[in-house]
Each structure stands twice: as C-alpha cells, then as structure tokens.
C-alpha cells in the first residue's frame, strides 16, 4: 500500500479489518482546523439542520462592492475565465444555500474574508450545480465556498456554513508558504483557499507535444520531487523543487531513463502528521504525499517561491519540468491518489469534499460510516456518476493543460469497487451483472475505468494500476484493462527477490517473469503491460534489500510495527551496514544480479530513485514520514559510484535499448527463445534448481545468452554450440568493476578477454555462486 503507510506494498499477504474507518490522528497532529469564523456547536448544527429544510427563498439582487455579479453558467465546473470575467461553478446535491467567499492573499494571512456573495438559488442554481459570474480585479485573489444544509453524519451530511471550503476543481490551492513550516499560531491546518485564474498565467510551451513513446521501450524511474534535489550535495539554487528536478534531468538522460514517474505532486498537507521525532530529533511529516487535498492543483510548496509569487508560479514551474523532460526525450507519469483524500474519517478535517457533498464523494455505509478500503480513513466513491466524471475531468486537465504523459493509480483496485448511492433504493447497490451489489463490491466492468479507457484523450496516454488495495483486493494480472491498462507487477518483485537470493522452488516462476509474465498477461494484453520492479518507494531500497533481513522502522514512531514484515530480503550473511569485506562484495554482486534480471526481462523495467548508486535508508522500509537523509538523493554518493554501480546500471540500460529482443511487442516463442540448463537445451525446472539460462535471437546482436546461478556453489556451464561463432563475455556480475561489464572502450579489454578464452574455446563458462552472465555471439575470425 502506498497511502499513509500504515501497512505495505505486499498487501496480498496482509489481513486487515478495515471495512469501516477506525482511523485516528496522532495526538500531536490532530486536525486543528482553524476556521475564519467561530465553529458552531454540534447541537447548534443539529438545530440549524432541521431548520435548513424549511428555509424560505427570498429573491433579491446579488450585490458586491468589488465585482459585477451575474447568474453564471453551470458548466464547466471550477473557476473559468470567460468574457473578461470568471465563471464559478460547483456541484453540491444536498446543500440548501451557497456563498462564494473572495479572499485576497493579504487577508488570507490575516484570517479574513475580503468579500462574501450569497448565491440566489432561483438564479444561481441549475439542478444540483451552484454558479455565478463575476467581473472585476482578481489580482492576488482567492476564493472558497460556504454551504449550508443538514449536519447529520448518520445520514452522510456534514454541511456547516462556518467552514470555508476549497473548490474540488481548484487549479491551485494556497495555504502556507514553505514546506514543513507551521502556519500562524503553529497551526498545522491553516485556512486554505483556491486560486482565481487570470490571463497573466499563460505559458509558452514552445511547441511542446506529448512524446508518445512506445510503452515497450520505456525505462521508468520512480522519483520524489523534493527528495531528488533537497540534499545539499545537489548544489542547486532551489533544492527540493520542480525547478530543481528540471536542472538535474541530465543525470537521468545519462543513465538512460526515458520516463519519470513522479510520486504525488497534487496539493497535500505535509504537516498532516506533524510530531516530534525523539529518535532523530526532527519532526515527522507526510513526506511522500499520499493524502491529497486538491487533485487539480500541483503541490504549491514544490515551487521555488510558492505563494510568495502566487500559485501561478507553481503551475508554470511544473510545466517547465515537463517541457524540459520532453526536450530530453523523457516522458512524465504522475502518481495519482484517487482512492481517498486527506479528510480522513469522521474525526478528520472538513476542507473540501466532505463539506461540499460528503455522501457523493465518499463511500458510505447506511448509517454514514466511512468505508476504509484505502486504510486511510475514507474511500473515494470512484464509480459514482459525479465522482467518475470528476476523475476523468481531472486526468484530462493534467494531460491537456500540463502535458503529462500518463498516470500511475495508487491503490488502483479501489476504482473497481462499486459505489455508494445515497438513497434508500440504492443503498445496497443496483442490479448489476445479475446480482445485488453492496457498496465496495468489486465489479468486472467498473464505470470509471470504462470511461477512462474509452475517453478519446485518456486512451492514448500511459495508464498503470497498482492493482491492489488495503481492503484485501489483489488484482495483479486480473485488473480490468480494456487491452490498454498496465500494472505494477508485484508478483514479479516477489518471485525475483526469492529466486535471486537462492530460495528453492522459484526457477519456473522466475522464467515466467523473464518472459513478461505470460501467465498473468497473455490473452488480451502484451508483455509491456507488466511494469517490472524489484524496489519502489514502498519497501527496502536495492542496497537495503541485500543488507537487512529485518526492517528497522523505529524512527517512524510506531514501535517498528509499521511497514512490511515479509520483504524476501537477504543480508548476505551479516545484518546491517557494518559487515566483512566478503559480505560487502557479495552484496554488490547481488545488486548487480537484481539489475540484470530487471533489464533482460520482457515488460517495462522500473527502478527507484537512488538505486543507481546504492542509496540506503538504514533498513527502514516505510519512510513516508521523513523529510531527511533517508529520502534525499545523495548526489555526492552518486558521484562516488559513477565508475562503479552507476556505470553498470547505465551500460545495462544502454544494452537493453540496443537489443531488439529485449522489449518485444509480444511474448517470446520457441522460434526466438531457448531455455538451457548446465547443458544446452536441457533446462532444470525442479524444486531444487537454482540455475536458469536462456538464449535469445536478436536482429542487432545476433544472439544473446543469459544465465543466473543463485546457488551457493560455483558451477561450470556448457554453452550452446554455434558453428562459426564464439560466445564472448559482456556481463559477469562476479567480477569487480569495471570488469563486471566489458565494453569496447574498456582499458585492458584484451587482457580481460584472454582470461575467458580457454573456457570459451571449449564452449564452456565458469560461474561463481550468486552470479549472472550475459554473453554475446561473435564470428570467429580466421587466424
């Protein structure tokens, strides 16, 4: 799981009792949602709710001291520039009155409202949509809404006119200026407001267009915007920002990356779990960002000057990042958390969706309880007609306006669950597929996934599902796909980890992974629908995977109870960083083995930020709350590894790109692929086999031979005989750098090659324990 990491990415191993929300906030971070006006007591809310149903509508002209006011239009939703003014439109089914609040940037800092305009339901409401059109000076102007109606949690309603709410369609959200810095009066939840758009924010794309790279050719790099350049060793002017990432894109280009997957960049509150960390002496925060406040707004505090230069700066800096990535042939995929919001359960803050229309935006049980399939207090009601349109509108905006190339859907299986429709006839769902569906039941043809898959804009971008959720639904290989959806292949990760560390019984499953997991994706999909990964943000880094048998999460403040316990890791004989030279050598070999397995597999490889130099988090496999060295890319360490592991990774990615056979459009067949054992064409698929080898016909390289020996014993391999040709070594992970990857420009290359010659002349090759090799076929030259 990725959101508020109270469990892990290996959800299919975890049993959670989370049908209904029991999420609570830590005492130190309990929502202190300071409103602009004094909150109304629950009893007062209840009295007002009963009175609200009988409010008489008195028609009167809409007045404003600063703006010309007219009726407006019900679409599009959000704030839209039109005819020298701005049209405001918001959906709210059960509210009985609405007020738009205009707030200057200065007044927001003073906790004041600049002007309020109460909307007339006879003029400013069409169906369930409130709307108004305003003309005037909107420079540095923000807005929000008040809604009145029932405050009746047991009926699913949380209307409270003392709350000033964010527009769900807000294109930018303003609150605090600096990342991790408390608001006035040390408030973790200061008042927020939505940006009013102006024409001053127009951006010059300089002809930028979506790259539309074939997905089979991608090498994805999962990264965190702040973490990538926040460390002082980045030596840039604006560390931890969109601009910082743009400045460092050449590092990714050199590595061979052609697609970055950005961890959440939607607006979130990093102080949501703010508390003092007695172990590290700093403060815990929501660093990863899997707790969205606004799905249309970029994270403002990732900009170089956040709200000091107003929200438009953040929008433009995100666009600059995308444009600069495209210039280098790198696509941009966003990690979107459309499974829950930061409002949590009934104890959470009310800042947008809950106050606008709680019973529409969240999955609710008949008595108003929040279903908690996300593990974070609430579940987004994705398949409700209004919410699924909201999701499609949001994704379209990021594609058309921000030029992103695709999306990875956090806890994507939630989008396959049936919605709650808040009326008596539909409280248990509708008659779909012959059965009565209760709220949250998985359905084979989810409307929201259907809409996305068949949308004329979204169908052409990359769509990647994290095909599980915190409610126990695990759909890897079974996610509703319409022939275009890809999945984070968690089974690839689990199988490869176990085979490489020498666990018996995984040779056959490992071979399936090398072929693109046809056992999961053959029949309607392609190898490139499998996103292959060994490590991601959630879990051990690659270096920690070979250094720790056990997680070390005490610094998270949860007594080491958080994070995954089943990591399939192996410390190579000694626990922790302080180990003997022989153990450290084996660890480096294992890191290379993992990287080889990733790069020679069919499907789309994904690597995690920092793994290219061996980043360590000290064994912490759940670093969601750390704004420190654990999550910071170490540019100094990367420089140290430039001629070692970074070089190895760079050359393997380059090799994959050069090979026509590594990244096929279809699953390999016997015409191209041959399996081998210690002897040619005699593979060993027994339970005790720890050796897997194959050869692959390649139109560029002629043929490649790849073998993995994950036994603790060395072995001598007999190679396939190819008359007129000789096998030559390219990769041997048992060798120290730079001889782990022999390139034509390698100094003393001929000397290194001679060390293998007598074996290769006999069509043999010696493999050390825990090693892998790649051999290339070369013609024998006449003596």
């Amino acid at each position: 799981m990725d959101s508020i990491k109270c469990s892990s990415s290996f959800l299919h191993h975890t049993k959670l009792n989370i049908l209904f929300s029991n999420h609570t906030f830590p005492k130190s971070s309990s929502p202190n949602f300071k409103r602009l006006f004094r909150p109304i007591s629950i009893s007062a809310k209840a009295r007002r709710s009963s009175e609200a149903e009988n409010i008489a509508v008195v028609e009167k002209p809409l007045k404003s001291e600063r703006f010309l006011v007219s009726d407006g239009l019900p679409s599009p939703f959000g704030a839209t520039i039109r005819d020298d003014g701005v049209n405001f439109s918001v959906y709210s089914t059960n509210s009985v009155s609405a007020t738009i609040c205009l707030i200057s940037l200065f007044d927001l800092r003073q906790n004041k409202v600049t002007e309020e305009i109460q909307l007339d339901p006879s003029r400013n409401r069409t169906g369930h949509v409130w709307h108004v059109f305003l003309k005037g000076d909107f420079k540095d102007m923000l807005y929000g809404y008040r809604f009145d109606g029932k405050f009746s949690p047991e009926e699913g309603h949380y209307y409270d006119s003392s709350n000033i709410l964010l527009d769900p369609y807000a294109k930018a959200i303003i609150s605090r200026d600096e990342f991790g810095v408390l608001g006035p009066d040390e408030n973790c939840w200061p008042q927020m407001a939505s940006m009013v758009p102006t024409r001053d924010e127009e951006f010059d794309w300089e002809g930028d267009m979506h790259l539309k790279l074939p997905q089979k050719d991608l090498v994805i790099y999962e990264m965190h915007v702040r973490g990538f350049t926040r460390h002082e060793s980045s030596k840039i002017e604006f560390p931890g920002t969109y601009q910082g990432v743009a400045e460092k894109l050449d590092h990714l280009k050199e590595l061979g990356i052609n697609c970055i997957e950005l961890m959440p960049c939607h607006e979130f509150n990093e102080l949501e779990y703010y508390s003092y960390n007695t172990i590290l002496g700093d403060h815990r925060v929501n660093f990863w960002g899997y707790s969205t406040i606004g799905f249309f707004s970029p994270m403002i505090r990732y900009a170089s000057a956040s709200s000091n230069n107003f929200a438009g700066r953040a929008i433009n800096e995100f666009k600059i990042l995308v444009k600069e990535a495209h210039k280098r042939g790198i696509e941009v995929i966003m990690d979107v958390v459309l499974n829950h919001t930061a409002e949590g359960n009934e104890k959470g803050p009310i800042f947008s969706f809950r106050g606008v229309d709680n019973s529409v935006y969240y999955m609710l049980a008949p008595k108003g309880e929040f279903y908690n399939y996300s593990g974070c207090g609430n579940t987004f009601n994705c398949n409700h007609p209004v919410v699924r349109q909201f999701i499609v509108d949001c994704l379209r905006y990021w594609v058309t306006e921000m030029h992103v190339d695709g999306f990875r859907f956090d806890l994507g299986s939630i989008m396959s669950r049936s919605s709650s429709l808040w009326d008596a006839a539909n409280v248990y769902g509708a008659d779909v597929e012959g059965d009565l569906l209760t709220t949250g039941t998985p359905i084979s043809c989810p409307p929201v996934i259907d809409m996305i898959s068949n949308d004329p804009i979204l169908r052409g971008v990359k769509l990647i599902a994290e095909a599980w959720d915190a409610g126990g639904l695990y759909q890897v290989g079974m996610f509703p796909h319409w022939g275009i959806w890809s999945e984070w292949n968690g089974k690839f990760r689990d199988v490869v980890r176990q085979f490489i560390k020498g666990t018996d019984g995984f040779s056959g499953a490992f071979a399936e992974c090398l072929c693109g997991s046809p056992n999961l994706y053959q029949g309607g999909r392609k190898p490139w629908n499998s996103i292959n990964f060994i490590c991601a943000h959630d879990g051990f880094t690659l270096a920690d995977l070979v250094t720790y048998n056990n997680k070390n999460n005490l610094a998270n403040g949860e007594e080491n109870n958080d994070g995954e316990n089943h990591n399939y890791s192996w410390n190579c004989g000694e626990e922790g960083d302080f180990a003997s030279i022989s153990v450290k050598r084996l660890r480096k070999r294992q890191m290379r083995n993992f990287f080889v397995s990733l790069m020679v597999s069919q499907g789309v490889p994904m690597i995690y930020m920092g793994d290219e130099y061996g980043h360590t988090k000290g064994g912490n496999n759940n670093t969601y709350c750390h704004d420190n060295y654990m999550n910071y890319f170490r540019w100094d360490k990367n420089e140290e590894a430039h001629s070692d592991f970074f070089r190895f990774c760079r050359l393997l990615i380059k090799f994959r790109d050069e090979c026509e056979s590594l990244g096929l459009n279809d699953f390999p067949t016997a015409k191209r692929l041959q399996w081998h054992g210690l002897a040619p064409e005699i593979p060993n698929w027994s339970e005790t086999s720890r050796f897997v080898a194959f050869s692959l016909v390649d139109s560029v390289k002629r043929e490649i031979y790849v073998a993995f020996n994950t036994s603790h014993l060395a072995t001598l391999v007999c190679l396939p005989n190819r008359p007129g040709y000789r096998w030559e070594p390219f990769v041997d992970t048992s060798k120290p750098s730079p001889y782990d990857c022999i390139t034509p420009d390698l100094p003393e290359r001929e000397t290194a090659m001679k060390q293998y010659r007598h074996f290769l002349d006999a069509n043999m090759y010696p493999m050390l324990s825990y090693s892998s090799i790649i051999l290339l076929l070369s013609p024998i030259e006449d003596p």
Side-chain angles (χ1 to χ4, degrees), residues 447-667:
V448 66
I449 300 176
D450 185 2
M451 284 183 69
I452 294 170
S453 303
N454 292 291
D455 184 85
I457 293 174
L458 300 178
R459 186 174 176 83
V461 304
K462 276 72 177 181
L463 300 171
I464 303 170
E466 184 185 38
W468 55 82
D469 67 19
L473 184 57
Y474 190 77
Q475 296 177 308
V476 172
M478 300 174 289
F479 189 82
H481 57 79
W482 274 262
I484 59 174
W485 282 77
S486 302
E487 299 170 6
W488 264 27
N489 191 345
K491 292 183 179 180
F492 178 99
R493 170 202 59 205
D494 296 350
V495 167
V496 173
R497 285 187 178 190
Q498 291 178 90
F499 179 77
I500 293 297
K501 76 186 183 78
T503 304
D504 284 342
F506 283 92
S507 59
F510 180 68
E512 291 273 12
C513 291
L514 293 172
C515 291
S517 302
N519 56 318
L520 298 177
Y521 301 110
Q522 199 165 37
R525 283 193 277 184
K526 303 289 186 178
W528 45 264
N529 291 123
S530 173
I531 308 300
N532 302 331
F533 65 103
I534 308 296
C535 300
H537 70 274
D538 196 17
F540 280 148
T541 66
L542 187 59
D544 288 349
L545 187 66
V546 299
T547 305
Y548 296 91
N549 284 350
N550 304 302
K551 65 185 181 183
N552 182 21
N553 295 1
L554 287 173
N556 299 353
E558 301 180 47
E559 299 181 351
N560 213 36
N561 292 319
D562 63 308
E564 178 56 48
N565 293 316
H566 303 90
N567 295 287
Y568 306 125
S569 61
W570 179 44
N571 62 17
C572 298
E574 299 176 27
E575 186 77 356
D577 283 334
F578 298 101
S580 63
I581 293 176
S582 61
V583 167
K584 288 184 176 182
R585 286 174 179 166
L586 179 55
R587 288 173 178 174
K588 284 191 172 184
R589 193 187 310 170
Q590 287 290 75
M591 288 173 64
R592 291 191 285 262
N593 290 335
F594 277 121
F595 205 81
V596 170
S597 68
L598 191 60
M599 289 300 140
V600 301
S601 296
Q602 303 297 327
V604 176
M606 183 187 81
I607 65 176
Y608 176 54
M609 179 183 85
D611 278 349
E612 69 267 34
Y613 68 80
H615 182 75
T616 178
K617 297 181 179 181
N620 192 323
N621 69 356
N622 191 29
T623 59
Y624 72 98
C625 58
H626 296 289
D627 183 22
N628 57 33
Y629 66 91
M630 290 189 202
N631 286 314
Y632 292 171
F633 189 98
R634 292 289 301 273
W635 293 93
D636 51 347
K637 298 294 184 183
N638 179 71
E639 188 64 30
E640 292 173 11
H642 214 72
S643 60
D644 190 354
F645 192 59
F646 177 87
R647 171 186 177 271
F648 183 83
C649 295
R650 176 178 60 81
L651 292 174
L652 261 290
I653 293 173
K654 183 175 183 287
F655 174 74
R656 178 184 176 87
D657 180 59
E658 292 172 346
C659 287
E660 167 267 340
S661 60
L662 297 178
L664 297 173
N665 195 51
D666 287 299
F667 297 97

Side-chain angles (χ1 to χ4, degrees), residues 312-328:
R313 179 68 174 269
I315 295 173
N316 284 349
E317 287 191 12
F318 184 92
K319 290 179 178 179
I320 290 171
L321 166 56
V322 174
K323 182 171 69 173
E324 290 302 314
H326 286 174
K327 286 180 180 179
R328 291 163 175 80

Side-chain angles (χ1 to χ4, degrees), residues 704-716:
I704 63 175
Y705 177 90
V706 182
F708 296 86
N709 177 29
T710 63
S711 168
H712 63 287
L713 300 174
T715 190
L716 187 64

Side-chain angles (χ1 to χ4, degrees), residues 100 116 145 152 193 215 221 266 268 440 447 517 520 644-645 697 703:
I100 186 168
E116 299 192 30
Y145 291 102
S152 178
Q215 186 160 315
Y221 186 90
H266 291 148
F268 65 92
S517 302
L520 298 177
D644 190 354
F645 192 59
V697 175
E703 190 173 1

